Amino acid sequence: MTRQTYTLAFIDGPLTTNPITFKEEDGMDHQPTTVKLPNAEYVPFLFTVKSLLAKGEGSEFKPGFTWGGEFEVPSYRTGGFLDPKGRGMYSGYDQAVALPALQADGKGGQEELFKESNKVFDIGKGAIEMEVNKVNAELGEIGGVFVSKQPSDTDMGAKAPKTILMKGIFYGKVV
């Protein structure tokens, strides 16, 4: 994986106590990202916490407090995206040039060609766990570490997603 840094910022939503619960509603909550595996394969994914509902046991942030929850992982590409052959979900060609004859023969490989041509917008599920390790009650700031697990891009339904595991730091301000 590359050692670049990606940031999700200005994420906000209601925070309640007993137990502490946060519901993500707005902000820069996604970042298109691509990593390169040791075998030189590139894996695109949408680093996100869209619609996160994070919960933890307790009523106050303190070092050692853990919380987490599930979130939605939208498709890396939207319906308007056209692949290199001009195929898209709602725009572009239905199939690539020269494929009609290949599909018409009725032989093997039809399912693979169908997946390549029939674009879909997938929404997967991800999960995150966070641990608070610093608290500045005077300024309402918390910070800590996180581990997030989510699916990679499916190339609009043509490929099976890989599991992406990310680790990092987080910062939050309670206002």
Side-chain angles (χ1 to χ4, degrees):
M1 188 168 173
T2 62
R3 300 205 182 274
Q4 292 182 331
T5 301
Y6 295 92
T7 302
L8 304 181
F10 310 109
I11 295 172
D12 62 13
L15 180 70
T16 57
T17 58
N18 282 335
I20 289 182
T21 304
F22 173 75
K23 184 175 185 219
E24 186 273 338
E25 291 182 345
D26 196 16
M28 296 168 57
D29 58 8
H30 64 282
Q31 183 73 255
T33 307
T34 300
V35 294
K36 185 176 180 182
L37 301 180
N39 67 358
E41 177 186 4
Y42 288 97
V43 179
F45 66 98
L46 195 66
F47 176 31
T48 185
V49 289
K50 272 195 177 301
S51 302
L52 170 66
L53 181 60
K55 294 181 180 183
E57 296 296 321
S59 59
E60 67 176 305
F61 289 115
K62 57 186 174 187
F65 177 80
T66 58
W67 56 323
E70 292 190 342
F71 54 88
E72 294 179 353
V73 182
S75 181
Y76 180 80
R77 297 178 174 106
T78 63
F81 174 81
L82 297 178
D83 72 6
K85 294 181 175 118
R87 299 171 294 194
M89 194 166 79
Y90 59 75
S91 63
Y93 298 106
D94 288 340
Q95 46 193 294
V97 176
L99 287 181
L102 192 60
Q103 287 180 327
D105 72 358
K107 294 182 181 171
Q110 301 301 307
E111 187 176 314
E112 186 177 320
L113 289 173
F114 179 76
K115 282 195 226 174
E116 284 286 332
S117 295
N118 186 40
K119 304 297 184 186
V120 294
F121 187 83
D122 292 326
I123 297 180
K125 284 285 184 194
I128 189 169
E129 288 293 323
M130 299 171 277
E131 181 177 343
V132 175
N133 55 27
K134 294 194 181 200
V135 176
N136 184 333
E138 186 178 312
L139 298 175
E141 298 174 332
I142 61 169
V145 294
F146 74 87
V147 175
S148 179
K149 180 180 174 182
Q150 68 175 71
S152 70
D153 179 44
T154 64
D155 196 16
M156 297 188 79
K159 299 176 183 171
K162 294 186 180 336
T163 299
I164 305 290
L165 180 65
M166 292 173 285
K167 300 175 183 179
I169 59 173
F170 75 90
Y171 161 82
K173 185 167 179 88
V174 180
V175 291

